[in-house]
Every structure is written in structure tokens, then in C-alpha cells.
Amino acid sequence: MSVVELGRFMDDLADASGKAILPFFRAQFGLDDKARGGAPFDPVTEADRAAEVVLRAMIGQTFPSHGILGEEFGAERTDAECVWVLDPIDGTRAFIGGLPTWGTLIGLTRNGVPVRGMMHQPYLAERFTGDGRSAKLRAPAGERTLRSRRCGELGQAILATTDPRLFAAGDEAERFRALEGQVRMSRYGADCYAYCMLAAGQIDLVVEAGLKPYDIVALIPIVEGAGGRVTAWDGGSAAGGGRVIAAGDPRLHGRSEARRPAAADP
């Protein structure tokens, strides 16, 4: 499949998953808690499951040899050369609250490396796409190339994280607070949308912990395609999830690491 055909297929995935999700947004729907053993609330909705079923069916029909890793229905053939990494609704809490900062994440890895990514926000009709070399936004106002903002100093930076309470108590939380204390402004609760706003030049840093691969794989080619940098806190690949730092300006990424204790990352 050519690059153009692959792009069209990803658009088809976005179209189909959006049709599955939107009837549930700002409506009454079933809600379950995936948490076990007293763990924090981990919601999943009928919309999450319906969208992932559609995505898996389309990928399986078009690319039967490809693997799939999805949030709701697990892993299939993840030893394949090409693996699709799916989060039907990243930002389920925002979705439940009627806030349009959630999105469908559709990522593709080749030999474990993220090579294509899309964040689709069907309610706003926005599609952020990237391949690690370039990134674009398609929206009702038109299409434009994404470029992250040049910001080399923490004191000028805008930082985002989903929720500061998600950092583990102790050293991890202390490292985040130390970084937050250096920046101009911080914002919480944007989930995948924060990474896309970083790619669009609105935010400078996104720092997270406790991520799964399906939370980040699709976003890496978007951020890096816009000129940013995404790594694990220790500087390694972020594709496996865990503790992640994304910076619109690679200089800022380096300074964020340098201002932490030697063992801390970011």
C-alpha cells in the first residue's frame, strides 16, 4: 500500500470510529469501571468498545498479517513487522464529562518504531496526522502544516499534564513539581489534545507518567513531524509508554532533563 493509500485508509478508520463514537457523546450511555482491587477509578464506555470493534475489523480485513494492540481488547500478533496501536477514546474522563478534549488515537509501528499517527477529534472534526517528518491538521477551517513553537527556556514555557495526581507519590511527584515550578504556566486535563496543541505551537511541554503504548504511539509521529521531541524520562524510546516527556523545542527537552537530579528523568 502506498503512502497515499495508507493515508486514505487511516481516514477511513477515523470516519468509521467517529460514527461509532459520536452518538454516545453528551448522551446517556453505559459506563463500567475497569479498576480492580481498590485501584483508582478507570472508566470505559460503550463508545470505547464500539469504536475499537470497528477499527479492529477494518484492519483485520485490509491487513490480515498486521498486529493490533488496543486498549479495550488487548493484543493480537504483536510480533508482526507492522502493528496498529489503538486507543478508541483517549480521555475517557473528558468524554464522560462532555468536554471535547478526548480523541481517537490510531498509530502504526514498524519493527516497534512509530511511523504513522493520527489523533481524530470527531466532535470538532479535527484530524492531526504525522509521519515523524511532517505533521498536518485538517479541520473545518482548512488544512495546515503543523510546526511546534521555538521556546528554549523553561521560564517561558507552557506545560501540560493530564493530572498531577497520576505521578507516583514521592520522587516521581517531586520531580514533576520541581519542573512545574520552573515554567511560566501549567494546564491540566487535556489528555491527547495537549500533545496536538504542542505540535500546533500552543504548548511547549507535556509531561506524563503511567502511560500505556496506546496512549502515546500515535502521538509520537505527530509531535516529531512538527519539529518536537518525545522520549521516555530516561531519554529512551517513549513507544512503550511509562514516563514520557514531549517538548516542542528540542532545546527545551534537554533543559528539562538537565534541571532534574541525575537519576531523574525527564
Side-chain angles (χ1 to χ4, degrees), residues 173-210:
E174 289 170 5
R175 292 173 184 176
F176 172 74
R177 286 196 296 269
L179 176 61
E180 187 177 31
Q182 300 282 343
V183 301
R184 170 175 283 183
M185 184 175 81
S186 59
R187 300 296 299 166
Y188 304 151
D191 298 286
C192 61
Y193 210 83
Y195 293 87
C196 294
M197 290 298 96
L198 185 148
Q202 303 296 131
I203 289 173
D204 302 297
L205 280 170
V206 182
V207 180
E208 306 263 44

Side-chain angles (χ1 to χ4, degrees), residues 239-260:
R243 302 188 298 181
V244 169
I245 179 168
D249 187 327
R251 297 174 300 166
L252 190 64
H253 185 284
R255 290 184 174 126
S256 300
E257 291 182 328
R259 295 197 182 191
R260 282 170 174 70

